[in-house]
mmCIF file of all heavy atoms in Angstrom:
data_model
loop_
_atom_site.group_PDB
_atom_site.id
_atom_site.type_symbol
_atom_site.label_atom_id
_atom_site.label_comp_id
_atom_site.label_asym_id
_atom_site.label_seq_id
_atom_site.Cartn_x
_atom_site.Cartn_y
_atom_site.Cartn_z
ATOM 1 N N MET A 643 -38.727 -8.942 -9.893
ATOM 2 C CA MET A 643 -37.751 -7.871 -10.047
ATOM 3 C C MET A 643 -36.784 -7.912 -8.861
ATOM 4 O O MET A 643 -37.188 -8.048 -7.724
ATOM 5 C CB MET A 643 -38.468 -6.521 -10.089
ATOM 6 C CG MET A 643 -37.510 -5.376 -10.211
ATOM 7 S SD MET A 643 -38.408 -3.846 -10.497
ATOM 8 C CE MET A 643 -37.094 -2.718 -10.261
ATOM 9 N N PRO A 644 -35.479 -7.783 -9.141
ATOM 10 C CA PRO A 644 -34.495 -7.832 -8.060
ATOM 11 C C PRO A 644 -34.636 -6.631 -7.126
ATOM 12 O O PRO A 644 -35.079 -5.567 -7.511
ATOM 13 C CB PRO A 644 -33.149 -7.806 -8.777
ATOM 14 C CG PRO A 644 -33.416 -7.820 -10.225
ATOM 15 C CD PRO A 644 -34.868 -7.678 -10.450
ATOM 16 N N ASP A 645 -34.239 -6.837 -5.901
ATOM 17 C CA ASP A 645 -34.201 -5.782 -4.892
ATOM 18 C C ASP A 645 -33.236 -4.698 -5.367
ATOM 19 O O ASP A 645 -32.108 -4.999 -5.783
ATOM 20 C CB ASP A 645 -33.724 -6.404 -3.576
ATOM 21 C CG ASP A 645 -33.566 -5.399 -2.452
ATOM 22 O OD1 ASP A 645 -34.011 -4.243 -2.611
ATOM 23 O OD2 ASP A 645 -33.005 -5.786 -1.417
ATOM 24 N N PRO A 646 -33.645 -3.413 -5.323
ATOM 25 C CA PRO A 646 -32.747 -2.335 -5.777
ATOM 26 C C PRO A 646 -31.412 -2.320 -5.036
ATOM 27 O O PRO A 646 -30.388 -1.974 -5.611
ATOM 28 C CB PRO A 646 -33.547 -1.061 -5.500
ATOM 29 C CG PRO A 646 -34.961 -1.488 -5.428
ATOM 30 C CD PRO A 646 -34.956 -2.905 -4.943
ATOM 31 N N LEU A 647 -31.433 -2.691 -3.743
ATOM 32 C CA LEU A 647 -30.175 -2.704 -3.003
ATOM 33 C C LEU A 647 -29.221 -3.740 -3.569
ATOM 34 O O LEU A 647 -28.011 -3.535 -3.568
ATOM 35 C CB LEU A 647 -30.438 -2.958 -1.518
ATOM 36 C CG LEU A 647 -31.179 -1.835 -0.792
ATOM 37 C CD1 LEU A 647 -31.432 -2.218 0.661
ATOM 38 C CD2 LEU A 647 -30.418 -0.531 -0.868
ATOM 39 N N THR A 648 -29.753 -4.843 -4.090
ATOM 40 C CA THR A 648 -28.918 -5.869 -4.705
ATOM 41 C C THR A 648 -28.230 -5.321 -5.953
ATOM 42 O O THR A 648 -27.070 -5.619 -6.201
ATOM 43 C CB THR A 648 -29.767 -7.109 -5.063
ATOM 44 O OG1 THR A 648 -30.446 -7.546 -3.895
ATOM 45 C CG2 THR A 648 -28.910 -8.220 -5.598
ATOM 46 N N ILE A 649 -28.931 -4.493 -6.694
ATOM 47 C CA ILE A 649 -28.335 -3.884 -7.895
ATOM 48 C C ILE A 649 -27.135 -3.030 -7.493
ATOM 49 O O ILE A 649 -26.080 -3.071 -8.137
ATOM 50 C CB ILE A 649 -29.384 -3.061 -8.666
ATOM 51 C CG1 ILE A 649 -30.461 -3.999 -9.239
ATOM 52 C CG2 ILE A 649 -28.735 -2.247 -9.772
ATOM 53 C CD1 ILE A 649 -31.671 -3.305 -9.783
ATOM 54 N N PHE A 650 -27.280 -2.278 -6.401
ATOM 55 C CA PHE A 650 -26.162 -1.468 -5.921
ATOM 56 C C PHE A 650 -25.001 -2.348 -5.455
ATOM 57 O O PHE A 650 -23.834 -2.017 -5.660
ATOM 58 C CB PHE A 650 -26.609 -0.537 -4.788
ATOM 59 C CG PHE A 650 -27.492 0.584 -5.249
ATOM 60 C CD1 PHE A 650 -28.822 0.624 -4.892
ATOM 61 C CD2 PHE A 650 -26.991 1.606 -6.044
ATOM 62 C CE1 PHE A 650 -29.643 1.662 -5.324
ATOM 63 C CE2 PHE A 650 -27.791 2.642 -6.479
ATOM 64 C CZ PHE A 650 -29.134 2.671 -6.123
ATOM 65 N N GLN A 651 -25.310 -3.472 -4.835
ATOM 66 C CA GLN A 651 -24.263 -4.390 -4.382
ATOM 67 C C GLN A 651 -23.512 -4.989 -5.571
ATOM 68 O O GLN A 651 -22.280 -5.074 -5.553
ATOM 69 C CB GLN A 651 -24.865 -5.507 -3.524
ATOM 70 C CG GLN A 651 -25.364 -5.028 -2.182
ATOM 71 C CD GLN A 651 -26.192 -6.081 -1.447
ATOM 72 O OE1 GLN A 651 -26.656 -7.046 -2.032
ATOM 73 N NE2 GLN A 651 -26.364 -5.880 -0.157
ATOM 74 N N VAL A 652 -24.246 -5.396 -6.597
ATOM 75 C CA VAL A 652 -23.612 -5.983 -7.786
ATOM 76 C C VAL A 652 -22.713 -4.951 -8.464
ATOM 77 O O VAL A 652 -21.548 -5.228 -8.780
ATOM 78 C CB VAL A 652 -24.676 -6.520 -8.767
ATOM 79 C CG1 VAL A 652 -24.054 -6.895 -10.107
ATOM 80 C CG2 VAL A 652 -25.407 -7.708 -8.169
ATOM 81 N N ALA A 653 -23.237 -3.754 -8.675
ATOM 82 C CA ALA A 653 -22.440 -2.708 -9.322
ATOM 83 C C ALA A 653 -21.251 -2.308 -8.447
ATOM 84 O O ALA A 653 -20.158 -2.062 -8.957
ATOM 85 C CB ALA A 653 -23.315 -1.491 -9.628
ATOM 86 N N GLY A 654 -21.457 -2.271 -7.138
ATOM 87 C CA GLY A 654 -20.368 -1.922 -6.226
ATOM 88 C C GLY A 654 -19.240 -2.940 -6.261
ATOM 89 O O GLY A 654 -18.060 -2.575 -6.275
ATOM 90 N N THR A 700 -31.627 -14.379 -6.380
ATOM 91 C CA THR A 700 -31.937 -13.141 -7.097
ATOM 92 C C THR A 700 -31.772 -13.284 -8.608
ATOM 93 O O THR A 700 -32.289 -12.462 -9.351
ATOM 94 C CB THR A 700 -31.013 -11.992 -6.629
ATOM 95 O OG1 THR A 700 -29.656 -12.333 -6.941
ATOM 96 C CG2 THR A 700 -31.167 -11.718 -5.153
ATOM 97 N N LEU A 702 -28.998 -12.874 -10.076
ATOM 98 C CA LEU A 702 -27.960 -11.925 -10.475
ATOM 99 C C LEU A 702 -26.568 -12.528 -10.307
ATOM 100 O O LEU A 702 -26.362 -13.419 -9.489
ATOM 101 C CB LEU A 702 -28.060 -10.643 -9.639
ATOM 102 C CG LEU A 702 -29.344 -9.842 -9.813
ATOM 103 C CD1 LEU A 702 -29.372 -8.690 -8.824
ATOM 104 C CD2 LEU A 702 -29.468 -9.316 -11.235
ATOM 105 N N MET A 762 -25.533 2.479 -11.314
ATOM 106 C CA MET A 762 -25.949 2.966 -9.998
ATOM 107 C C MET A 762 -26.767 4.260 -10.112
ATOM 108 O O MET A 762 -27.768 4.429 -9.404
ATOM 109 C CB MET A 762 -24.734 3.180 -9.103
ATOM 110 C CG MET A 762 -24.061 1.885 -8.686
ATOM 111 S SD MET A 762 -22.664 2.203 -7.622
ATOM 112 C CE MET A 762 -23.166 1.274 -6.189
ATOM 113 N N ALA A 765 -30.264 3.330 -11.409
ATOM 114 C CA ALA A 765 -31.051 2.685 -10.356
ATOM 115 C C ALA A 765 -31.520 3.723 -9.336
ATOM 116 O O ALA A 765 -32.680 3.711 -8.903
ATOM 117 C CB ALA A 765 -30.237 1.589 -9.681
ATOM 118 N N ILE A 769 -35.439 4.677 -8.532
ATOM 119 C CA ILE A 769 -35.967 4.575 -7.160
ATOM 120 C C ILE A 769 -36.586 5.913 -6.742
ATOM 121 O O ILE A 769 -37.692 5.956 -6.200
ATOM 122 C CB ILE A 769 -34.864 4.141 -6.178
ATOM 123 C CG1 ILE A 769 -34.485 2.681 -6.433
ATOM 124 C CG2 ILE A 769 -35.305 4.339 -4.733
ATOM 125 C CD1 ILE A 769 -33.231 2.238 -5.715
#
Side-chain angles (χ1 to χ4, degrees):
M643 178 172 169
D645 177 11
L647 293 178
T648 305
I649 293 169
F650 289 111
Q651 290 169 343
V652 170
T700 63
L702 296 174
M762 290 181 122
I769 290 169

